[in-house]
Amino acid sequence: MKGGMGNMMKQAQMMQANMQKAQAELANVEVEGVASNGLVKVTMTCRNEVKRVAIDDSVMDDKETLEDLLVIALKDANQKAEATSTARMSSLMPAGMKLPF
């Protein structure tokens, strides 16, 4: 009985270490959110740290449109970061086990 429990603990520790490593790696993975066919682009990490914002000159004259496009690009980047993180972390989980986030 002790050997089985010891193995389970060892596997849990390995899984935890792998998850921590994956989380650290995700801090460096960048995704790009895009709005209006690339007129506004937001690059962020999978830890939601915005790295770059690129705005086409053609939308600089319309403040309201620019604000809307920034929101759209940020939401797009956030969704891509979440999807990337979920895919990466779920690959470390045993089959059938759901992530809490």
Side-chain angles (χ1 to χ4, degrees), residues 21-87:
K21 181 181 175 190
Q23 286 174 336
E25 290 172 356
L26 284 169
N28 296 317
V29 173
E30 293 184 355
V31 296
E32 183 177 74
V34 179
S36 194
N37 294 322
L39 292 179
V40 175
K41 298 177 185 177
V42 173
T43 303
M44 67 189 310
T45 68
C46 287
R47 284 246 178 118
N48 296 328
E49 179 184 348
V50 176
K51 294 290 193 170
R52 286 178 297 285
V53 175
I55 302 170
D56 190 272
D57 290 338
S58 65
V59 294
M60 295 299 284
D61 295 336
D62 187 351
K63 181 181 182 276
E64 287 180 22
T65 299
L66 178 55
E67 290 171 345
D68 291 342
L69 292 176
L70 281 168
V71 169
I72 292 167
L74 282 166
K75 284 182 179 180
D76 186 41
N78 191 20
Q79 288 172 345
K80 289 176 180 176
E82 274 187 45
T84 301
S85 295
T86 299

